[in-house]
Amino acid sequence: MIDERTGWARTYRRLEALALRVFRALPAPVRRGLVRSATPSFTVGAVAAISCGERVLALRQPHRPGWSLPGGLLARGETAAAGVAREVLEETGLRIEVGLPVTTVVAARVRRVDVVFGIEVPQCFPVTAGGEAQHAQWVTFDDLQEVDEPTRDILDALARARSPGAYGGSVRGVR
C-alpha cells in the first residue's frame, strides 16, 4: 500500500514540473505578464553611502524628516548603478562611479527595495546641495540620529554589512 502523503507529494511534484514546463514554453511577454499579475510590486531605489573616514555625506530634503543619504528611485529600465550616479549628481553635483552594492534593504511591509552602494573618498571636500536636497554636510554616523525609517533601515544594514561575520548564515542540513 502506498502512503497517501507520499502518493500526493509525488503527484504534486509531477504537476508542478508539468506547470513549469508549460510556463517555460509560453512567449516571454506572456510569462512576464503572468509573473507581474501574480506577484507584489515594489518600488526600487538606489542609495550612496559616501564616506571619508568616520564621516558620511548626508542631506536634508524637504520631503523627508531629518538627514538622509543621497539617492532615489530608479527610472524604468535604469540599473541601480546608473540610478544612484544620476541621483547623486542631481542632489550633490558629484560625479560618481560605483562598484558592487554593499547591501540591499528589502522593506516588505511597505514594498520598498533599496540597493545601497558604498563609496570611500580620501577627504571631506565641500559639497553643494542641489535638486531636491536643501543642505549637504559631512556628519559622523553618530550624528545621524534624526532620520526617517528608510534611512534608519539603510544605516542599520550598512552597520551589519561592516561588522565581522557579515557573510554569516549557516546551512542546517540537506534534504
Side-chain angles (χ1 to χ4, degrees), residues 117-132:
F117 295 89
I119 300 168
E120 295 278 339
V121 295
Q123 62 182 3
C124 298
F125 43 82
V127 177
T128 303
E132 300 167 351

mmCIF file with all atom_site columns, all heavy atoms in Angstrom, residues 117-132:
data_model
loop_
_atom_site.group_PDB
_atom_site.id
_atom_site.type_symbol
_atom_site.label_atom_id
_atom_site.label_alt_id
_atom_site.label_comp_id
_atom_site.label_asym_id
_atom_site.label_entity_id
_atom_site.label_seq_id
_atom_site.pdbx_PDB_ins_code
_atom_site.Cartn_x
_atom_site.Cartn_y
_atom_site.Cartn_z
_atom_site.occupancy
_atom_site.B_iso_or_equiv
_atom_site.pdbx_formal_charge
_atom_site.auth_seq_id
_atom_site.auth_comp_id
_atom_site.auth_asym_id
_atom_site.auth_atom_id
_atom_site.pdbx_PDB_model_num
ATOM 1   N N   . PHE A 1 117 ? 25.041 51.416 -2.177 1.00 0.00 ? 117 PHE A N   1
ATOM 2   C CA  . PHE A 1 117 ? 26.426 51.412 -2.637 1.00 0.00 ? 117 PHE A CA  1
ATOM 3   C C   . PHE A 1 117 ? 27.280 52.174 -1.643 1.00 0.00 ? 117 PHE A C   1
ATOM 4   O O   . PHE A 1 117 ? 26.851 53.181 -1.086 1.00 0.00 ? 117 PHE A O   1
ATOM 5   C CB  . PHE A 1 117 ? 26.542 52.102 -4.010 1.00 0.00 ? 117 PHE A CB  1
ATOM 6   C CG  . PHE A 1 117 ? 25.826 51.368 -5.104 1.00 0.00 ? 117 PHE A CG  1
ATOM 7   C CD1 . PHE A 1 117 ? 24.489 51.613 -5.384 1.00 0.00 ? 117 PHE A CD1 1
ATOM 8   C CD2 . PHE A 1 117 ? 26.493 50.414 -5.864 1.00 0.00 ? 117 PHE A CD2 1
ATOM 9   C CE1 . PHE A 1 117 ? 23.836 50.932 -6.391 1.00 0.00 ? 117 PHE A CE1 1
ATOM 10  C CE2 . PHE A 1 117 ? 25.844 49.729 -6.871 1.00 0.00 ? 117 PHE A CE2 1
ATOM 11  C CZ  . PHE A 1 117 ? 24.516 49.983 -7.147 1.00 0.00 ? 117 PHE A CZ  1
ATOM 12  N N   . GLY A 1 118 ? 28.488 51.705 -1.414 1.00 0.00 ? 118 GLY A N   1
ATOM 13  C CA  . GLY A 1 118 ? 29.433 52.386 -0.543 1.00 0.00 ? 118 GLY A CA  1
ATOM 14  C C   . GLY A 1 118 ? 30.561 52.982 -1.367 1.00 0.00 ? 118 GLY A C   1
ATOM 15  O O   . GLY A 1 118 ? 31.080 52.339 -2.274 1.00 0.00 ? 118 GLY A O   1
ATOM 16  N N   . ILE A 1 119 ? 30.904 54.225 -1.046 1.00 0.00 ? 119 ILE A N   1
ATOM 17  C CA  . ILE A 1 119 ? 31.980 54.914 -1.752 1.00 0.00 ? 119 ILE A CA  1
ATOM 18  C C   . ILE A 1 119 ? 32.872 55.572 -0.710 1.00 0.00 ? 119 ILE A C   1
ATOM 19  O O   . ILE A 1 119 ? 32.394 56.337 0.131  1.00 0.00 ? 119 ILE A O   1
ATOM 20  C CB  . ILE A 1 119 ? 31.427 55.988 -2.709 1.00 0.00 ? 119 ILE A CB  1
ATOM 21  C CG1 . ILE A 1 119 ? 30.502 55.349 -3.744 1.00 0.00 ? 119 ILE A CG1 1
ATOM 22  C CG2 . ILE A 1 119 ? 32.563 56.750 -3.386 1.00 0.00 ? 119 ILE A CG2 1
ATOM 23  C CD1 . ILE A 1 119 ? 29.694 56.338 -4.525 1.00 0.00 ? 119 ILE A CD1 1
ATOM 24  N N   . GLU A 1 120 ? 34.160 55.253 -0.737 1.00 0.00 ? 120 GLU A N   1
ATOM 25  C CA  . GLU A 1 120 ? 35.133 55.867 0.169  1.00 0.00 ? 120 GLU A CA  1
ATOM 26  C C   . GLU A 1 120 ? 35.871 56.965 -0.592 1.00 0.00 ? 120 GLU A C   1
ATOM 27  O O   . GLU A 1 120 ? 36.326 56.741 -1.714 1.00 0.00 ? 120 GLU A O   1
ATOM 28  C CB  . GLU A 1 120 ? 36.154 54.824 0.633  1.00 0.00 ? 120 GLU A CB  1
ATOM 29  C CG  . GLU A 1 120 ? 35.572 53.717 1.472  1.00 0.00 ? 120 GLU A CG  1
ATOM 30  C CD  . GLU A 1 120 ? 35.411 54.089 2.928  1.00 0.00 ? 120 GLU A CD  1
ATOM 31  O OE1 . GLU A 1 120 ? 36.094 55.028 3.389  1.00 0.00 ? 120 GLU A OE1 1
ATOM 32  O OE2 . GLU A 1 120 ? 34.606 53.442 3.588  1.00 0.00 ? 120 GLU A OE2 1
ATOM 33  N N   . VAL A 1 121 ? 35.975 58.147 0.019  1.00 0.00 ? 121 VAL A N   1
ATOM 34  C CA  . VAL A 1 121 ? 36.756 59.233 -0.573 1.00 0.00 ? 121 VAL A CA  1
ATOM 35  C C   . VAL A 1 121 ? 37.863 59.607 0.411  1.00 0.00 ? 121 VAL A C   1
ATOM 36  O O   . VAL A 1 121 ? 37.695 59.468 1.626  1.00 0.00 ? 121 VAL A O   1
ATOM 37  C CB  . VAL A 1 121 ? 35.877 60.458 -0.925 1.00 0.00 ? 121 VAL A CB  1
ATOM 38  C CG1 . VAL A 1 121 ? 34.874 60.110 -2.015 1.00 0.00 ? 121 VAL A CG1 1
ATOM 39  C CG2 . VAL A 1 121 ? 35.148 60.999 0.290  1.00 0.00 ? 121 VAL A CG2 1
ATOM 40  N N   . PRO A 1 122 ? 39.016 60.080 -0.099 1.00 0.00 ? 122 PRO A N   1
ATOM 41  C CA  . PRO A 1 122 ? 40.153 60.341 0.784  1.00 0.00 ? 122 PRO A CA  1
ATOM 42  C C   . PRO A 1 122 ? 39.990 61.558 1.690  1.00 0.00 ? 122 PRO A C   1
ATOM 43  O O   . PRO A 1 122 ? 40.631 61.641 2.726  1.00 0.00 ? 122 PRO A O   1
ATOM 44  C CB  . PRO A 1 122 ? 41.316 60.534 -0.185 1.00 0.00 ? 122 PRO A CB  1
ATOM 45  C CG  . PRO A 1 122 ? 40.693 60.905 -1.485 1.00 0.00 ? 122 PRO A CG  1
ATOM 46  C CD  . PRO A 1 122 ? 39.340 60.268 -1.509 1.00 0.00 ? 122 PRO A CD  1
ATOM 47  N N   . GLN A 1 123 ? 39.129 62.517 1.298  1.00 0.00 ? 123 GLN A N   1
ATOM 48  C CA  . GLN A 1 123 ? 38.949 63.701 2.136  1.00 0.00 ? 123 GLN A CA  1
ATOM 49  C C   . GLN A 1 123 ? 37.524 64.215 2.021  1.00 0.00 ? 123 GLN A C   1
ATOM 50  O O   . GLN A 1 123 ? 36.849 63.963 1.032  1.00 0.00 ? 123 GLN A O   1
ATOM 51  C CB  . GLN A 1 123 ? 39.924 64.805 1.752  1.00 0.00 ? 123 GLN A CB  1
ATOM 52  C CG  . GLN A 1 123 ? 39.757 65.306 0.339  1.00 0.00 ? 123 GLN A CG  1
ATOM 53  C CD  . GLN A 1 123 ? 40.774 66.371 -0.018 1.00 0.00 ? 123 GLN A CD  1
ATOM 54  O OE1 . GLN A 1 123 ? 41.637 66.695 0.782  1.00 0.00 ? 123 GLN A OE1 1
ATOM 55  N NE2 . GLN A 1 123 ? 40.672 66.913 -1.203 1.00 0.00 ? 123 GLN A NE2 1
ATOM 56  N N   . CYS A 1 124 ? 37.079 64.933 3.043  1.00 0.00 ? 124 CYS A N   1
ATOM 57  C CA  . CYS A 1 124 ? 35.730 65.503 3.075  1.00 0.00 ? 124 CYS A CA  1
ATOM 58  C C   . CYS A 1 124 ? 35.757 66.855 2.359  1.00 0.00 ? 124 CYS A C   1
ATOM 59  O O   . CYS A 1 124 ? 35.967 67.891 2.980  1.00 0.00 ? 124 CYS A O   1
ATOM 60  C CB  . CYS A 1 124 ? 35.254 65.671 4.511  1.00 0.00 ? 124 CYS A CB  1
ATOM 61  S SG  . CYS A 1 124 ? 35.122 64.140 5.440  1.00 0.00 ? 124 CYS A SG  1
ATOM 62  N N   . PHE A 1 125 ? 35.574 66.841 1.062  1.00 0.00 ? 125 PHE A N   1
ATOM 63  C CA  . PHE A 1 125 ? 35.624 68.065 0.261  1.00 0.00 ? 125 PHE A CA  1
ATOM 64  C C   . PHE A 1 125 ? 34.278 68.781 0.335  1.00 0.00 ? 125 PHE A C   1
ATOM 65  O O   . PHE A 1 125 ? 33.254 68.175 0.663  1.00 0.00 ? 125 PHE A O   1
ATOM 66  C CB  . PHE A 1 125 ? 35.996 67.739 -1.178 1.00 0.00 ? 125 PHE A CB  1
ATOM 67  C CG  . PHE A 1 125 ? 35.282 66.541 -1.715 1.00 0.00 ? 125 PHE A CG  1
ATOM 68  C CD1 . PHE A 1 125 ? 33.980 66.637 -2.204 1.00 0.00 ? 125 PHE A CD1 1
ATOM 69  C CD2 . PHE A 1 125 ? 35.885 65.298 -1.715 1.00 0.00 ? 125 PHE A CD2 1
ATOM 70  C CE1 . PHE A 1 125 ? 33.315 65.526 -2.670 1.00 0.00 ? 125 PHE A CE1 1
ATOM 71  C CE2 . PHE A 1 125 ? 35.222 64.178 -2.182 1.00 0.00 ? 125 PHE A CE2 1
ATOM 72  C CZ  . PHE A 1 125 ? 33.928 64.292 -2.660 1.00 0.00 ? 125 PHE A CZ  1
ATOM 73  N N   . PRO A 1 126 ? 34.251 70.082 0.024  1.00 0.00 ? 126 PRO A N   1
ATOM 74  C CA  . PRO A 1 126 ? 32.982 70.828 0.067  1.00 0.00 ? 126 PRO A CA  1
ATOM 75  C C   . PRO A 1 126 ? 31.988 70.279 -0.956 1.00 0.00 ? 126 PRO A C   1
ATOM 76  O O   . PRO A 1 126 ? 32.354 69.955 -2.082 1.00 0.00 ? 126 PRO A O   1
ATOM 77  C CB  . PRO A 1 126 ? 33.391 72.254 -0.304 1.00 0.00 ? 126 PRO A CB  1
ATOM 78  C CG  . PRO A 1 126 ? 34.858 72.316 -0.112 1.00 0.00 ? 126 PRO A CG  1
ATOM 79  C CD  . PRO A 1 126 ? 35.384 70.929 -0.319 1.00 0.00 ? 126 PRO A CD  1
ATOM 80  N N   . VAL A 1 127 ? 30.734 70.172 -0.548 1.00 0.00 ? 127 VAL A N   1
ATOM 81  C CA  . VAL A 1 127 ? 29.668 69.691 -1.425 1.00 0.00 ? 127 VAL A CA  1
ATOM 82  C C   . VAL A 1 127 ? 28.526 70.696 -1.364 1.00 0.00 ? 127 VAL A C   1
ATOM 83  O O   . VAL A 1 127 ? 28.157 71.154 -0.290 1.00 0.00 ? 127 VAL A O   1
ATOM 84  C CB  . VAL A 1 127 ? 29.173 68.300 -0.976 1.00 0.00 ? 127 VAL A CB  1
ATOM 85  C CG1 . VAL A 1 127 ? 28.015 67.838 -1.832 1.00 0.00 ? 127 VAL A CG1 1
ATOM 86  C CG2 . VAL A 1 127 ? 30.307 67.294 -1.030 1.00 0.00 ? 127 VAL A CG2 1
ATOM 87  N N   . THR A 1 128 ? 27.974 71.017 -2.521 1.00 0.00 ? 128 THR A N   1
ATOM 88  C CA  . THR A 1 128 ? 26.847 71.933 -2.604 1.00 0.00 ? 128 THR A CA  1
ATOM 89  C C   . THR A 1 128 ? 25.581 71.149 -2.919 1.00 0.00 ? 128 THR A C   1
ATOM 90  O O   . THR A 1 128 ? 25.545 70.398 -3.897 1.00 0.00 ? 128 THR A O   1
ATOM 91  C CB  . THR A 1 128 ? 27.089 72.987 -3.708 1.00 0.00 ? 128 THR A CB  1
ATOM 92  O OG1 . THR A 1 128 ? 28.313 73.663 -3.434 1.00 0.00 ? 128 THR A OG1 1
ATOM 93  C CG2 . THR A 1 128 ? 25.951 73.986 -3.767 1.00 0.00 ? 128 THR A CG2 1
ATOM 94  N N   . ALA A 1 129 ? 24.569 71.321 -2.088 1.00 0.00 ? 129 ALA A N   1
ATOM 95  C CA  . ALA A 1 129 ? 23.305 70.626 -2.310 1.00 0.00 ? 129 ALA A CA  1
ATOM 96  C C   . ALA A 1 129 ? 22.623 71.171 -3.550 1.00 0.00 ? 129 ALA A C   1
ATOM 97  O O   . ALA A 1 129 ? 22.725 72.351 -3.874 1.00 0.00 ? 129 ALA A O   1
ATOM 98  C CB  . ALA A 1 129 ? 22.397 70.795 -1.098 1.00 0.00 ? 129 ALA A CB  1
ATOM 99  N N   . GLY A 1 130 ? 21.926 70.291 -4.255 1.00 0.00 ? 130 GLY A N   1
ATOM 100 C CA  . GLY A 1 130 ? 21.184 70.692 -5.441 1.00 0.00 ? 130 GLY A CA  1
ATOM 101 C C   . GLY A 1 130 ? 19.976 69.794 -5.617 1.00 0.00 ? 130 GLY A C   1
ATOM 102 O O   . GLY A 1 130 ? 19.758 68.849 -4.862 1.00 0.00 ? 130 GLY A O   1
ATOM 103 N N   . GLY A 1 131 ? 19.192 70.074 -6.648 1.00 0.00 ? 131 GLY A N   1
ATOM 104 C CA  . GLY A 1 131 ? 17.998 69.276 -6.913 1.00 0.00 ? 131 GLY A CA  1
ATOM 105 C C   . GLY A 1 131 ? 17.062 69.330 -5.724 1.00 0.00 ? 131 GLY A C   1
ATOM 106 O O   . GLY A 1 131 ? 16.739 70.399 -5.224 1.00 0.00 ? 131 GLY A O   1
ATOM 107 N N   . GLU A 1 132 ? 16.630 68.170 -5.242 1.00 0.00 ? 132 GLU A N   1
ATOM 108 C CA  . GLU A 1 132 ? 15.720 68.094 -4.101 1.00 0.00 ? 132 GLU A CA  1
ATOM 109 C C   . GLU A 1 132 ? 16.414 68.435 -2.784 1.00 0.00 ? 132 GLU A C   1
ATOM 110 O O   . GLU A 1 132 ? 15.765 68.808 -1.819 1.00 0.00 ? 132 GLU A O   1
ATOM 111 C CB  . GLU A 1 132 ? 15.144 66.685 -3.981 1.00 0.00 ? 132 GLU A CB  1
ATOM 112 C CG  . GLU A 1 132 ? 14.362 66.235 -5.185 1.00 0.00 ? 132 GLU A CG  1
ATOM 113 C CD  . GLU A 1 132 ? 14.087 64.748 -5.161 1.00 0.00 ? 132 GLU A CD  1
ATOM 114 O OE1 . GLU A 1 132 ? 14.625 64.020 -4.308 1.00 0.00 ? 132 GLU A OE1 1
ATOM 115 O OE2 . GLU A 1 132 ? 13.324 64.299 -6.025 1.00 0.00 ? 132 GLU A OE2 1
#
